[in-house]
Amino acid sequence: MALIERDSHRRPLGLLLLLMGGASTPLWAAPPAPAEHELPSAIDEASGLAQSGQHAALLWTHNDNINDPGSMQRVTPLVHGIDHEGRWLLSLELDGVTQRDWEAIESVQIDGSHGLVVADTGDNRDSWPDYVLWFIDEPEEIPPSAKTLTTTPTHLLRFSYPDGPADTEAMVVDPHGSQVLVLTKREDPPRLFALPLSARQPFPDEGSPRERLASAEVREARLLGPMGGLVPTDPINWLLSPLTGRQTSLPTGMALSPDGRLLAVLTYSSLYFFRRDAGERWREAIRRPVASRSLPRIDQWEGIAFGRDASQLYIVREGTGPGTLLHLAVPEAARVKHGSQTAKARGPD
């Protein structure tokens, strides 16, 4: 997808120069520069990121399908384990699965077991009637040398939206509501939906990948509400907005803090933070962010994960080379004060 679209409107050049440095005192303070690392060359379409629940030193990521979004060309369905500096530790090949358009990955703990959820939810052309979440177990140990292991999903959750297809790249697991949250991308405003973890079904033992998927019941996602406040976060984004339209503010990833209270939303240019206070529902918490910050540049940022506390975030982008993995500090304004109670929603919202 092209990030920049032309428009006839222009911001005054003098104002641009003023905001970029013409004034002796900057009107916007730049956030601290993130630490940058490099992903392995095999991860060239990074499209999701999750902190392992089983291993503190492990992050999970995966590629999109291929460089032609929406293509059904067969690829090997792999998730990759890396350390926090981007070094490859292991990969998992999902047996019995066809990868259509993977867009997100998340850690989950169910019945005391640590696992992963892979979201096959991308749909650039709004052409698919339904989507699927794959559930797999995390390996109990990291191999002493990097290798690829084979695993089979334990469960799947096939779902649709109540009003037709929607492209979705952002997904988190909310353990306090026992639900999966998915956020649509190409809508204004984006909408947050929920699916109960109890809706997942055991992965069939036999059949082709197509037959196994077709045997699953399709559940309908439940609308929680629209997300507000995804607006330009600094003068450069603001000045470019007439050229880019809403392209740089499309949500490409989400992460939920370990206590379930702070939701970070990733776009091509910025980060936004929504906090759910004790007793508050998500439909209320997502009306307006409590904090935001710009990313170093407008780019194909696609995956985001909290560290094991709510002070650190990791972000990946498509492509290869330096700066494909970032470490960022969570803004102070977004952090939940020490000693605050864990959020307890009034219901599954």
Side-chain angles (χ1 to χ4, degrees), residues 242-276:
L243 307 177
T244 63
R246 291 200 66 257
Q247 302 287 4
T248 61
S249 295
L250 299 178
T252 59
M254 289 194 300
L256 187 62
S257 61
D259 65 2
R261 294 191 60 181
L262 188 63
L263 184 69
V265 176
L266 175 70
T267 72
Y268 292 120
S269 64
S270 306
L271 278 172
Y272 303 85
F273 298 88
F274 299 83
R275 187 166 60 232
R276 181 175 59 166

Side-chain angles (χ1 to χ4, degrees), residues 305-325:
F306 275 100
R308 287 207 159 185
D309 62 30
S311 66
Q312 183 86 352
L313 280 168
Y314 307 102
I315 296 176
V316 291
R317 66 168 174 85
E318 292 188 1
T320 58
T324 43
L325 170 64

Side-chain angles (χ1 to χ4, degrees), residues 3-12 15-16 232 234-249 298:
L3 292 183
I4 306 297
E5 295 182 354
R6 293 190 178 275
D7 190 282
S8 59
H9 299 289
R10 295 291 186 270
R11 304 285 189 190
L15 180 58
L16 172 63
D234 66 19
I236 303 302
N237 290 339
W238 177 75
L239 289 162
L240 286 175
S241 61
L243 307 177
T244 63
R246 291 200 66 257
Q247 302 287 4
T248 61
S249 295
I298 297 174

Side-chain angles (χ1 to χ4, degrees), residues 67-253:
N67 290 325
D68 179 16
S71 169
M72 279 299 291
Q73 179 174 323
R74 186 70 179 269
V75 295
T76 303
L78 293 167
V79 296
H80 304 285
I82 58 175
D83 68 15
H84 291 95
E85 280 68 52
R87 293 180 287 263
W88 179 51
L89 299 179
L90 78 159
S91 296
L92 300 178
E93 179 178 348
L94 276 61
D95 185 39
V97 169
T98 296
Q99 180 177 349
R100 191 168 66 191
D101 192 357
W102 287 5
E103 291 292 356
I105 188 169
E106 183 62 283
S107 297
V108 64
Q109 186 173 6
I110 301 176
D111 299 328
S113 297
H114 293 282
L116 299 168
V117 185
V118 182
D120 199 341
T121 55
D123 192 356
N124 290 349
R125 298 180 178 88
D126 289 341
S127 58
W128 297 104
D130 54 73
Y131 310 92
V132 63
L133 305 175
W134 302 107
F135 292 76
I136 62 174
D137 287 334
E138 283 200 72
E140 293 185 2
E141 297 182 355
I142 300 175
S145 58
K147 63 175 62 176
T148 298
L149 308 174
T150 300
T151 189
T152 301
T154 60
H155 294 79
L156 75 161
L157 202 171
R158 191 177 172 198
F159 73 96
S160 64
Y161 292 102
D163 51 358
D167 184 30
T168 301
E169 297 190 6
M171 179 270 297
V172 296
V173 175
D174 174 17
H176 300 288
S178 298
Q179 61 189 350
V180 178
L181 305 178
V182 289
L183 179 66
T184 60
K185 179 182 181 183
R186 300 175 193 277
E187 297 182 336
D188 188 10
R191 293 180 296 164
L192 189 69
F193 289 83
L195 291 154
L197 284 172
S198 60
R200 71 193 192 284
Q201 303 170 56
F203 187 66
D205 293 329
E206 298 179 351
S208 68
R210 186 181 297 273
E211 290 170 339
R212 296 186 191 193
L213 179 59
S215 69
E217 178 188 356
V218 179
R219 299 292 298 263
E220 186 174 283
R222 181 169 56 89
L223 176 64
L224 298 187
M227 176 171 285
L230 303 188
V231 298
T233 54
D234 66 19
I236 303 302
N237 290 339
W238 177 75
L239 289 162
L240 286 175
S241 61
L243 307 177
T244 63
R246 291 200 66 257
Q247 302 287 4
T248 61
S249 295
L250 299 178
T252 59

